[in-house]
Structures are given as structure tokens and as C-alpha cells.
Amino acid sequence: MKKFVYNFKEGNKDMKSLLGGKGANLAEMTNIGLNVPPGFTVTTEACIQYDEEGKTLWPQLLDEIFEKLAQLEDETGKTFGHGENPLLVSVRSGSVFSMPGMMDTILNLGLNDETVISLIKKSGNERFAYDSYRRFIQMFSDVAMGVSKSNFEHELEKMKHEKGCENDTDLDASDLKLLVERYKEIYKRELKTDFPQDTKEQLKLSLKAVFDSWNNPRAVIYRNLNEISHKLGTAVNIQSMVFGNMGDRSGTGVAFTRNPATGENKVFGEFLMNAQGEDVVAGIRTPLSIDELESIMPAVYNQFMKTTQILENHYRDMQDIEFTIEDEILYLLQTRTGKRTAKAAVNIAVDLVEEGKITKLESVGRIDPHMLEQLLHPSFDEKEVKNHELLAKGLPASPGAASGQIYFTADSAVEAKEKGISVILVRQETSPEDIAGMINSEGILTARGGMTSHAAVVARGMGKCCVAGCQDIRIDEHAKTMKVKDMVLTEGDVISLDGSTGGVYLGSIPKASTSLIENFEVFMQYVNDFKTMKVRANADNARDARKAIELGAEGIGLCRTEHMFFDEERILNVRKMIVAETLEEREAALKLLLPYQKQDFIEIYEVMKELPVTIRLLDPPLHEFLPNTDEDIKEVADSIGKTFDHLKDVVERLHEFNPMLGHRGCRLAVTYPEIYKMQVRAIIAAAIDMKKENIDVNPEIMIPLICAKSELVYIKTFLIEEINSVFEETGETVEYTIGTMIEVPRAAITADEIAEEAEFFSFGTNDLTQMGFGFSRDDSGKFLDDYTKKGILDYSPFETLDIAGIGKMVKMACTLGRETNPGIKLGICGEHGGDPKSIAFCQSVGLDYVSCSPFRVPIARLAAAQAAIDDGTVRDK
Ligand code: ADP
Ligand code: MG
Ligand code: MG
């Protein structure tokens, strides 16, 4: 017969799935000799079976429970529901994962009108007995029977008011006795039946309530949100009571074995004298710091300090402990791994390694890569956030926190910044022309666009806070207003952005202090010991490249050349090139751009030195370059000696219905080879300059948007010709490679053919996702939410790689590519390159590197190390 009930002595910490986290740890603490009030755990399997039995407690289960209860009576020398020394218990739920929304704990169960009298006699403390009874009636009614606790709290307040006292500790025995009577009346009034005097009945009803709470709506929503299975069930712990409310030699508290905010190796905790259960967290009275226990009860304090050490050494991690002191005897009621800030997490991980308590490998596994974001970006002071109105919520596009005055155009942002103003740039959406405005802003807010919109991608690259796709705001760029809720904000008004949550707040919010802690570098060294994939960064200029190196990047995986073209000094020549109607005109414009391009690459090479730099040849949808306003058209027309009308006509002809699928990427070079020729000339000439300074740089020339081998061959041929002529002209040669992005589905499918001509593949998973799903990146914000809300997709495929579909294409392309070109280098440069789950996938298909925005490099490094550890590629050193 299956066993459904375990005495604490029968369990251990590894039995979490059966006993729940709380039960497994109560068992573990019991068995390592700590002072835990005896008790037993009803298993999670019983909870599941309870559902299958039509939500009834079946006889065999009840037999087992009451048999264990009888043993508990023997163990404690107390009797349940009668006798001179009554046994009281707590009923505590505890699932495998701690879960808010589940049932609360019931304390002091076993009290009735008879046992309360015995408790008075036994303890000689009438006040304590009635205090316990009134607590029990309230908790049982609220938690097990659904009578709102406000009924009782109201009565308690009334009583305090009548007595003219402030704290519940000021109420005396007769007050509490009267309160018990009033509480029983409330019970009867609300439930039309008397408060149960049968203690077995109390226990059964409580047990059912815990089991039922597994399926209460809050718990179900929480599990859905956190992808926790509904089949796990919750365990129920039934434990003999100890009393922190027995008087001035008793108390209750919570403590962390190290400081959870800073990681400092010093016990951090709070306690209350003469209190029970959740009084400390409920804020009924102001608790004392654990340090003060030393003067109140030195012996208990010393014992407690020793116990924290025992627990931490045993669990080999910082613990979060709940304890009670009854008449100067210390009891442990719970222990679990303590939650902590990112700063504390890193400090504790490194300290534990240095104290010899855990290995480096273990320390690497202990930190959630996402947590590092907290360390890399500023954040608001949490206490301050509460004082500011939340105006709207957008997408958390680029982490960080920023406050400043709003400006609606890039130019006005730049001007304001020059006056020393902190700027928040507010745009419908951004385009490459807003770059200067973005650089000069503290943060960026857009009304449209998703996680891979221009604003999001560029802001992440800059490490700048950005909230994108904030649908709740209406922006009028001409009127320079932003409508949100029933407010109209105008230029100069102050708002704050939280790029980690997507929150937009009114006013300026002070920031919490940030500085990379010393241990961060130490920890990242551990990370490097284990990761096998390289981590590169996406960087388009020397500034980003330097940041990338600083954060540990091992190369550039994507240098986008179009951003370089948008520089104010060049845009005119770029436009001339685009609207050129003859080869001569175009070549003339390109000739003017060449020196700039070469200088761009020299600057990047100077930072990256021998490290690989993947340079993607031009890939913007054409419309992004076109002169838009009449003013711009006129400027271009004048400078090339054409009429306004003529040029306007040219621009209109260049208009595309679907620019994302239009004349972009290598297609541009099929029509106008001279553009890419100029770019490779700049890449190679810059490399030759570096060689003269004895630096052998490593350019990897990457062709975007390839869909067929023949297309690649066509382009490669003229690129190589051009490169060879640079070699001839200069009498120098340099090493380089030519490869392609795999971002069009057809390229993934014909990767074996393409690999014959490519020295590397870099998966452009943004486009591959866009084209694979047929979801426009720029428009999907409008409907993707519905897909995740309605459970059609588990997550946005633009944030985490869709492993089942897009991932399958990536995997297939890797296999096919290696078939015809075994030495082919494989990487990823889409936004997914910085996402931990996607990185684990990259490891599994054997990519050589991932590439992500500079500020995500540490996150990617950690995720890569964890992926290598998890798949068994590396072992402990
Ligand atoms: P939660 O999961 O919400 O922390 P617990 O089951 O840990 O709920 O119970 C909350 C508090 O109730 C504990 O921290 C402890 O102070 C008190 N408590 C629980 N069981 C007992 C007990 N057997 N004796 C004394 N206090 C108890
Ligand atoms: Mg607890
Ligand atoms: Mg692309």
C-alpha cells in the first residue's frame, strides 16, 4: 500500500517532490539534530489523489494520519482534543516550489472550550491560552472556512479601542477571553453553524482546505505564469506547536544567515518578543534586530548563531530561517535557500568559493543570468518608486532607469542636452536619424515597436534605458504633447522610465546606488573557466566595441554598417548614392563615402586588434535612407544639380510597399555592386593600414539576406575582384574571410549548397523569425500579446528563439552546412544571442559563438557557461 504520511524523522531534504520544500527541510533539520517541534507530512501524492477521489479524504488516508497523530501524542506526551496536557498543532501547506496564492498556515489547532482550560492550568498563563485561542479561531475561520479575517480584525480593533490601548499585547486575559466569545459569534453569524469543538473535525477541515487551495484561482494563475505543472500537488505539514506568545521569555522571528541585500557575511534578522507566527512580517509591532537578542537572552542568541552556521554549512548556501523561542528554548520552524539581490548573490557565491564551501562550478550554477542585469544597469530606489504615479506600461526594451524632461524630436533633445538638461526622448518610434537624439538622452520612450524595434535594439547597444511599444500613450509630435490617462504632458515635463519593467512614471525618481562590485570580476573569471562557446558583441563603433571588451566580449559578431551611414555629415552623400540614376553618379557619391567608411573600420580595429570582427555589408530597407521631407529632397536636388520635381519623382519611384521584403541587403548589391565594392575596399584598406602598425586584424565580411548559392557566388565574385585590386594597388595583402547570414528560410533549407561558398554562417534570427513565422517585426506588437495571453505561443519568438520551429531551421542549417563544409564557423547575431534560453539552444547545436549587445555580454557569458555545464561538456575543475 502506498504511504501517504511521513514523520519528520522519515524524510530528508531530497524528498521535496513528495514532501514539499517545507516538509523536506523540516525533516532534514530534524535528522541533523536541530530542535524542530515534532510532526509529520502528508505527501503531495495525497493531494493529487484527493482530487481523484472527488475531493474527499478517503478512509485509508485518515487512518494513516490519525495513526501518526497518535505517535505524535506519544512523542510529545500530550493528547489531542482532551486531557490535562493538550496537543496543539499547526497545519502548514508546502509545495515543491514556494507559491504565493496558496493556503496560509493555521496555528494552535486543537483548541476548544475544554482544551483551553487545560492549557491555562498547564501553563499557568491564562492570557497566553486565550491569545492562542483567539488566533486559532481567526486563522481557522479565514483560511479553512473562508470567513474574511477583516471581521476579526475589526473586532480586535474595537476591543483595543474600548480598552484604550495600542498593542494587542496590552490586552489582558479577560479581554482576550471576551474576544474569543465574540469571535465564535462571528463564526456562527457568517457560517450559520457553531465553531467546531471536535478537534478531529478541525483537522480534517483544515486538511481539505489546504488541498483545495492547490487549485484556487490565484495559485493556478501563478503556476501558469511560472510554467509550473498543475500535477505536483501540495504537501501538508502537521506539527506540534511551540509558543512564542507565552510571555517575555518567548518570541518569534525570521533571519538570513547572510545579508540578503549586500551578501555581507553577517546574520541578518528580526524578531518580536511575546509574539506568534507571522506577527513579525505582518508588521503588528516594530520588530527588533536580531543583534538585540544578545542582550535579552545571551544563551539563546549564541545558540541561534551556532545554528545558523550549522544550517548554512549543511545546505552550503545562504539560508532563510524561521524560528520561535518558547521560554528561552530555541526551536527551528523552517529553512530554505534565501532570496537575495544580484549584488548579494555574486558576493555570496564568491565568498562561499573562497571559504571552500562550494566549488566554482557550483557557484556558476547559482546565479540566474538575468539577475546580472541588476548589476549592469542603474535601477530606481524601490522605496521611492512607490511615491510616484505609474502613468503607463510598455515593453521593457532595454534595462536601466532614467529620469528627465521629455523632448519629442532628436534635435530638440540634443539642444536640451547642450543646456545641461537630462532628456527623455519620446518618439512614436525611432529611426536611424534619431541616433544623435538617443545618444543625448538618458532614456527613450516609444509608443510603437516591439522588443526588436529600432529603439529597442539601438538602446540596448548603447546600454541606455528604453521603454518601447507603450500603447497607452498618444504622442503628437507637432503639438509636442504626450497624452496618457487623462493627462497631457508637454515638452519639458519630467517623467521616469524603468527599462527593466516597462514602467513609465510621473516625476523624477531617485536611483539606487550601482557600481560593479569587486566580486563581479572574480565571478566572471569562474564563468570563463566553464564556457565553451565564445561570446561576441554587436557593435557598430569604437565606443560600443570598447564597452564590449570591458564586459568580456571575445570579438564582434555583428558590425552593422548602415548605422555608420546615418551620420549627419554623410547622409547627404548616402542619399545622393541612393537616388543616383547612373553608375557614374553613384560612384561619385560612393567615392565621397569611402574615406569615412575606412576610418570607421580603423577605429573599430584599433579597439578589437586581433579579435575577429564580423562586418555586415549594407542592409537597410531602402526607405530608411530616402529623403522624406520636401526640405531634404530639395537639399539633395540642389547638391546634385537636379530639379526638386525630378528628384521627388525619383524618390516616389523608389517607394516600396513592403520594405522588409523589398530591395534591401544583398539585393541592393545585386542591382548596384558598387555599394558593396566600396565597403569591402574600406574594410581591406583599413586592415592594411593596421598591418603597417603590426596588428593583424581579423575581418569577417558578412553578406546579409542571402537566399541562394548562386546569389552568393555572384556577389562574392565581384567582392574578391575588388579586394584583389586593393591588394594590387597597395602591394600588401591581409587575411579575411567571407561568409553569409542565414536569415532567409530558403538559405537555411539550402545551407549545404550555400556552405560550399561560405566560410562562416551567422544566424540572423530576428529576420529568420520574422520570415519563418511571417510575423512582421514592426507590426507584431499589435497581436503577439494575444498569442501569448491565449496560450497559442508560450512566449514571444522575438525574445526567446522558437526552438521547435525557427530553432529547427537553425539546427538543420548547421547540419547541412557542416556536411559540405566541415570546418564552417557558426554563430548567431540576432537578439536571441543575449537570451539565456536561446543560448542554451545554441550550445546544443554546437555553435562556435553567440553575439549580443555589449551590455548583455556578461549575461551571455554566464548563460553559455551554464549551458556547457548542463549539457555535460565541461566538468568541475
Ligand atoms: P509560510 O509558508 O507562509 O511561511 P509557515 O507554514 O512557515 O507559513 O508558517 C508561518 C509561521 O507560523 C512560521 O514562521 C512560524 O512562525 C509559525 N508556525 C508554524 N508552525 C508552527 C509551530 N508548529 N509552532 C510555532 N509556530 C509555528
Ligand atoms: Mg514560513
Ligand atoms: Mg537581418
Side-chain angles (χ1 to χ4, degrees):
M1 220 166 26
K2 197 184 227 170
K3 182 175 162 74
F4 285 109
V5 188
Y6 287 74
N7 189 290
F8 290 165
K9 289 178 190 155
E10 297 173 299
N12 65 56
K13 68 175 174 11
D14 301 320
M15 292 167 75
K16 283 203 178 89
S17 62
L18 190 63
L19 304 179
K22 198 179 284 168
N25 285 331
L26 283 166
E28 186 77 12
M29 288 197 290
T30 303
N31 292 321
I32 61 172
L34 294 177
N35 198 19
V36 177
F40 54 86
T41 305
V42 184
T43 64
T44 53
E45 288 174 354
C47 177
I48 299 301
Q49 175 110 5
Y50 167 81
D51 269 350
E52 285 162 12
E53 301 276 342
K55 301 205 181 288
T56 56
L57 301 167
W58 64 103
Q60 183 228 330
L61 178 69
L62 287 172
D63 287 351
E64 224 184 313
I65 289 173
F66 287 115
E67 190 194 309
K68 281 286 192 291
L69 191 65
Q71 286 170 15
L72 193 59
E73 291 180 316
D74 291 344
E75 230 176 303
T76 56
K78 299 180 179 181
T79 47
F80 187 66
H82 59 91
E84 289 169 8
N85 191 3
L87 172 65
L88 305 190
V89 295
S90 61
V91 177
R92 318 171 63 186
S93 65
S95 52
V96 184
F97 303 102
S98 92
M99 250 175 58
M102 294 256 320
M103 204 201 78
D104 292 328
T105 295
I106 298 175
L107 302 178
N108 310 327
L109 188 141
L111 277 174
N112 58 23
D113 295 348
E114 185 190 327
T115 51
V116 75
I117 302 296
S118 316
L119 193 64
I120 294 171
K121 283 196 192 133
K122 178 77 195 164
S123 66
N125 187 339
E126 188 181 8
R127 186 192 179 282
F128 148 70
Y130 282 112
D131 184 53
S132 303
Y133 199 10
R134 64 101 186 168
R135 287 170 186 270
F136 170 52
I137 299 174
Q138 170 172 334
M139 281 189 257
F140 178 83
S141 310
D142 168 30
V143 171
M145 308 306 291
V147 180
S148 163
K149 65 174 169 228
S150 60
N151 290 296
F152 302 97
E153 278 163 0
H154 177 73
E155 206 53 50
L156 177 64
E157 284 311 310
K158 216 168 87 188
M159 172 76 79
K160 284 197 273 186
H161 190 74
E162 281 165 21
K163 303 292 294 187
C165 58
E166 206 170 296
N167 291 321
D168 29 342
T169 39
D170 299 332
L171 296 174
D172 65 20
S174 61
D175 300 331
L176 292 167
K177 186 175 176 186
L178 183 59
L179 202 58
V180 164
E181 287 315 310
R182 291 190 184 164
Y183 276 16
K184 283 195 282 193
E185 281 162 24
I186 294 174
Y187 187 95
K188 185 155 192 183
R189 184 184 79 213
E190 294 295 316
L191 295 169
K192 314 277 176 281
T193 166
D194 284 323
F195 184 78
Q197 292 291 318
D198 177 349
T199 54
K200 286 192 172 177
E201 194 57 29
Q202 294 173 354
L203 185 60
K204 283 192 262 182
L205 287 169
S206 303
L207 204 65
K208 270 174 71 70
V210 178
F211 284 161
D212 288 334
S213 77
W214 175 251
N215 284 319
N216 81 29
R218 277 183 304 163
V220 172
I221 290 170
Y222 182 84
R223 289 199 293 272
N224 284 339
L225 221 66
N226 292 280
E227 293 172 39
I228 297 173
S229 160
H230 296 297
K231 297 215 173 68
L232 299 173
T234 179
V236 188
N237 301 289
I238 295 169
Q239 184 176 27
S240 53
M241 284 299 301
V242 288
F243 301 102
N245 57 337
M246 233 188 219
D248 292 336
R249 311 312 295 161
S250 304
T252 182
V254 294
F256 292 85
T257 57
R258 299 181 190 226
N259 189 306
T262 63
E264 187 194 359
N265 188 2
K266 176 172 186 292
V267 174
F268 177 91
E270 289 179 331
F271 73 104
L272 268 180
M273 299 307 289
N274 196 9
Q276 193 177 45
E278 307 276 63
D279 288 3
V280 174
V281 267
I284 292 186
R285 281 176 276 147
T286 311
L288 304 175
S289 152
I290 196 77
D291 299 337
E292 294 188 48
L293 186 61
E294 186 166 19
S295 54
I296 302 175
M297 292 182 208
V300 176
Y301 174 81
N302 287 335
Q303 193 195 351
F304 182 70
M305 288 299 146
K306 258 185 230 144
T307 307
T308 60
Q309 276 309 305
I310 293 171
L311 279 172
E312 191 179 277
N313 292 343
H314 185 74
Y315 283 94
R316 304 165 65 244
D317 201 352
M318 187 261 269
Q319 295 294 297
D320 170 356
I321 299 167
E322 297 176 4
F323 64 94
T324 283
I325 302 162
E326 178 184 307
D327 241 347
E328 300 205 27
I329 300 174
L330 173 69
Y331 293 91
L332 277 306
L333 289 168
Q334 189 169 342
T335 191
R336 63 187 152 194
T337 302
K339 295 229 185 326
R340 60 203 81 182
T341 61
K343 181 176 169 186
V346 171
N347 281 334
I348 291 172
V350 171
D351 286 349
L352 288 174
V353 170
E354 287 176 355
E355 291 161 23
K357 290 182 179 158
I358 60 173
T359 64
K360 288 181 183 176
L361 183 139
E362 283 172 300
S363 80
V364 167
R366 285 204 179 164
I367 292 181
D368 177 354
H370 290 293
M371 259 199 140
L372 294 182
E373 274 182 13
Q374 279 182 35
L375 290 180
L376 295 164
H377 301 282
S379 60
F380 290 128
D381 187 333
E382 267 176 53
K383 281 181 233 112
E384 299 279 353
V385 172
K386 294 188 191 103
N387 303 328
H388 292 262
E389 182 177 1
L390 179 68
L391 292 176
K393 223 160 183 188
L395 298 169
S398 178
S403 298
Q405 302 183 13
I406 55 175
Y407 285 87
F408 295 91
T409 63
D411 288 345
S412 61
V414 174
E415 268 169 43
K417 171 76 188 212
E418 277 163 6
K419 291 185 202 141
I421 294 171
S422 293
V423 174
I424 302 283
L425 180 65
V426 180
R427 301 281 292 156
Q428 199 70 355
E429 56 200 330
T430 62
S431 74
E433 280 169 281
D434 292 320
I435 297 281
M438 296 174 80
I439 290 175
N440 285 290
S441 305
E442 304 301 307
I444 297 132
L445 171 63
T446 67
R448 280 200 230 128
M451 295 293 284
T452 56
S453 62
H454 178 268
V457 172
V458 174
R460 281 198 290 274
M462 294 177 176
K464 206 154 266 201
C465 161
C466 173
V467 173
C470 189
Q471 315 251 4
D472 300 337
I473 59 171
R474 294 273 164 274
I475 296 170
D476 185 334
E477 278 168 21
H478 294 289
K480 298 189 180 163
T481 60
M482 162 177 143
K483 281 194 190 137
V484 57
K485 291 186 173 169
D486 48 7
M487 258 180 266
V488 181
L489 302 186
T490 55
E491 190 175 272
D493 285 347
V494 177
I495 64 168
S496 296
L497 304 179
D498 186 334
S500 310
T501 62
V504 181
Y505 298 87
L506 194 61
S508 167
I509 308 180
K511 287 182 200 137
S513 61
T514 41
S515 53
L516 274 189
I517 47 174
E518 228 172 273
N519 280 334
F520 180 75
E521 283 306 320
V522 181
F523 179 74
M524 292 312 290
Q525 277 311 315
Y526 301 168
V527 165
N528 278 0
D529 285 352
F530 298 104
K531 75 177 185 50
T532 54
M533 274 192 298
K534 298 271 185 204
V535 174
R536 299 195 195 177
N538 302 348
D540 311 338
N541 53 51
R543 189 198 52 211
D544 290 357
R546 260 190 299 275
K547 192 77 213 173
I549 294 283
E550 197 182 298
L551 294 173
E554 296 157 291
I556 290 180
L558 176 62
C559 173
R560 300 177 175 93
T561 52
E562 51 275 11
H563 292 175
M564 303 171 168
F565 276 40
F566 272 99
D567 195 280
E568 250 177 86
E569 285 179 43
R570 317 179 191 182
I571 186 81
L572 181 65
N573 290 322
V574 175
R575 286 180 173 151
K576 279 192 213 164
M577 166 191 84
I578 297 285
V579 301
E581 289 168 278
T582 65
L583 180 61
E584 291 69 39
E585 279 175 17
R586 187 166 303 104
E587 282 182 337
L590 284 166
K591 209 166 176 182
L592 294 172
L593 286 170
L594 176 63
Y596 288 116
Q597 258 295 241
K598 186 177 157 195
Q599 187 57 29
D600 291 332
F601 297 131
I602 288 181
E603 285 170 16
I604 290 175
Y605 291 152
E606 278 172 344
V607 179
M608 301 307 292
K609 311 240 157 49
E610 275 86 10
L611 294 173
V613 178
T614 307
I615 299 165
R616 181 177 72 182
L617 302 180
L618 200 63
D619 172 33
L622 254 193
H623 71 284
E624 287 188 9
F625 279 129
L626 290 175
N628 285 322
T629 61
D630 284 356
E631 208 177 296
D632 288 345
I633 295 177
K634 189 160 174 349
E635 188 190 5
V636 179
D638 286 350
S639 74
I640 54 178
K642 293 189 178 169
T643 67
F644 172 82
D645 289 339
H646 178 77
L647 198 69
K648 187 151 178 140
D649 194 45
V650 173
V651 169
E652 262 156 32
R653 264 185 283 134
L654 286 169
H655 170 82
E656 291 182 309
F657 287 104
N658 210 336
M660 273 293 190
L661 299 175
H663 204 180
R664 57 178 281 220
C666 64
R667 298 162 200 168
L668 217 49
V670 168
T671 319
Y672 312 119
E674 50 283 6
I675 300 177
Y676 277 15
K677 281 191 197 167
M678 181 280 283
Q679 290 198 293
V680 288
R681 178 169 278 272
I683 292 169
I684 297 300
I688 289 173
D689 279 11
M690 295 300 293
K691 192 179 173 186
K692 289 181 188 148
E693 291 171 31
N694 289 321
I695 301 172
D696 290 319
V697 297
N698 256 305
E700 301 176 335
I701 299 165
M702 179 158 80
I703 305 170
L705 232 65
I706 286 290
C707 64
K709 176 181 165 184
S710 50
E711 189 187 32
L712 179 58
V713 170
Y714 174 79
I715 291 170
K716 230 177 93 174
T717 308
F718 71 71
L719 290 185
I720 292 172
E721 257 174 41
E722 185 72 12
I723 291 169
N724 286 338
S725 53
V726 180
F727 289 165
E728 267 168 40
E729 288 160 30
T730 57
E732 288 277 1
T733 62
V734 289
E735 298 286 323
Y736 68 92
T737 56
I738 297 182
T740 171
M741 294 196 63
I742 300 289
E743 55 184 338
V744 174
R746 192 184 186 282
I749 292 164
T750 58
D752 46 349
E753 293 176 20
I754 292 175
E756 289 169 350
E757 294 293 332
E759 286 169 274
F760 63 87
F761 282 169
S762 176
F763 291 96
T765 47
N766 297 348
D767 263 307
L768 199 58
T769 300
Q770 166 166 267
M771 292 186 226
F773 274 92
F775 288 167
S776 154
R777 243 192 295 169
D778 295 337
D779 299 311
S780 60
K782 296 205 181 84
F783 56 82
L784 257 186
D785 251 10
D786 294 325
Y787 275 73
T788 45
K789 270 192 207 131
K790 297 186 178 177
I792 300 168
L793 292 175
D794 290 336
Y795 50 83
S796 160
F798 289 109
E799 285 163 47
T800 296
L801 191 74
D802 157 52
I803 291 169
I806 308 303
K808 200 167 177 180
M809 279 199 267
V810 171
K811 189 173 179 183
M812 183 178 73
C814 291
T815 312
L816 289 175
R818 287 197 190 99
E819 266 171 28
T820 55
N821 182 356
I824 193 164
K825 203 194 257 187
L826 302 169
I828 180 174
C829 64
E831 284 300 314
H832 302 103
D835 169 68
K837 267 195 197 154
S838 312
I839 291 170
F841 169 78
C842 293
Q843 173 88 18
S844 76
V845 295
L847 295 195
D848 298 299
Y849 69 88
V850 298
S851 187
C852 56
S853 48
F855 281 89
R856 294 199 73 86
V857 165
I859 296 161
R861 287 163 66 198
L862 177 54
Q866 291 181 349
I869 292 169
D870 289 348
D871 80 355
T873 309
V874 292
R875 283 179 215 296
D876 221 343
K877 304 194 178 173

